[in-house]
Amino acid sequence: MDALMPLVVYELISDSQGLMAALALGFGFGWFLERAGFGSGCRLCAQFYLYDMTVLKVMFTAIVTAAVGLWLFSAIGLLDLGAVYLTPTRLGAVLAGGLLLGAGFIIGGYCPGTSVTAAASGAGDGAAFVLGFMAGLLLYALFLPGLELWANATSIGEVTLPQVFGIPYGAVVLAVVMMAVLAFAGAEWSERKFAHLRPRA
């Protein structure tokens, strides 16, 4: 069977159609985030108090679905994984950005995606976060030349876990699924263990 995806790479849809599809998927993703309660900073912060692990469950479900889906499409020949765009891994930038995003998440309860969801739902704190990360993007753009040199200094290129560990893609997918099962079990235990911390209505 000949590969059909990525659709834009194989010119089955145009660039503009690809952007429209991405926009539709983005709205869909936002809708699912809102339905999962991710438009509430309190719900998101509950993750750090261990009595409501919805964030872990939803995001791990999304990761497993994507990983298994990509592997299956690749295995049956519909998807050319070699044509899928990968963002180059810049270790320093990933570490610094992860720490900044994590700190903001803990302090205010939102990440960029959930803040947009909250803002679209009419939450003022979500809108404040959107303004905050837009200001951060502006600062990054202003200081891009210097920051880009620093980020590129720790770049290891476009790498994947199968390449790093020298194992088949399917083995990595299986490991992720097993991690998810253990994480879900741990989340259920955590919610029972720390249920007494849940605010009373």
Side-chain angles (χ1 to χ4, degrees):
M1 181 180 295
D2 292 332
L4 299 175
M5 297 182 285
L7 298 176
V8 173
V9 172
Y10 283 96
E11 299 182 345
L12 295 176
I13 61 174
S14 65
D15 287 342
S16 59
Q17 289 172 327
L19 289 173
M20 292 304 296
L23 183 64
L25 289 170
F27 275 108
F29 182 61
W31 183 85
F32 279 109
L33 288 180
E34 200 281 329
R35 296 301 298 166
F38 287 14
S40 166
C42 294
R43 182 72 177 273
L44 293 165
C45 282
Q47 175 83 15
F48 303 111
Y49 294 99
L50 305 177
Y51 63 79
D52 186 340
M53 305 298 285
T54 302
V55 174
L56 181 144
K57 294 175 184 176
V58 170
M59 297 312 293
F60 233 135
T61 299
I63 291 169
V64 168
T65 301
V68 172
L70 287 171
W71 175 73
L72 284 174
F73 282 135
S74 175
I76 63 178
L78 282 176
L79 171 66
D80 179 4
L81 284 174
V84 175
Y85 173 75
L86 296 175
T87 302
T89 300
R90 299 176 174 91
L91 297 176
V94 168
L95 180 60
L99 289 172
L100 283 171
L101 188 146
F105 203 155
I106 292 172
I107 292 169
Y110 292 110
C111 69
T114 54
S115 67
V116 172
T117 299
S121 302
D125 55 350
F129 257 72
V130 170
L131 292 175
F133 81 71
M134 288 180 68
L137 289 172
L138 177 60
L139 287 173
Y140 178 80
L142 290 174
F143 295 102
L144 178 60
L147 289 173
E148 192 170 33
L149 287 174
W150 168 75
N152 288 336
T154 59
S155 177
I156 58 174
E158 300 176 358
V159 296
T160 63
L161 290 178
Q163 292 170 344
V164 170
F165 295 109
I167 57 178
Y169 186 90
V172 173
V173 172
L174 178 60
V176 170
V177 171
M178 292 173 63
M179 286 172 55
V181 171
L182 292 174
F184 292 152
E188 292 295 325
W189 175 87
S190 178
E191 289 178 339
R192 292 192 301 271
K193 177 72 173 178
F194 297 98
H196 63 283
L197 296 177
R198 187 182 297 273
R200 304 299 177 187

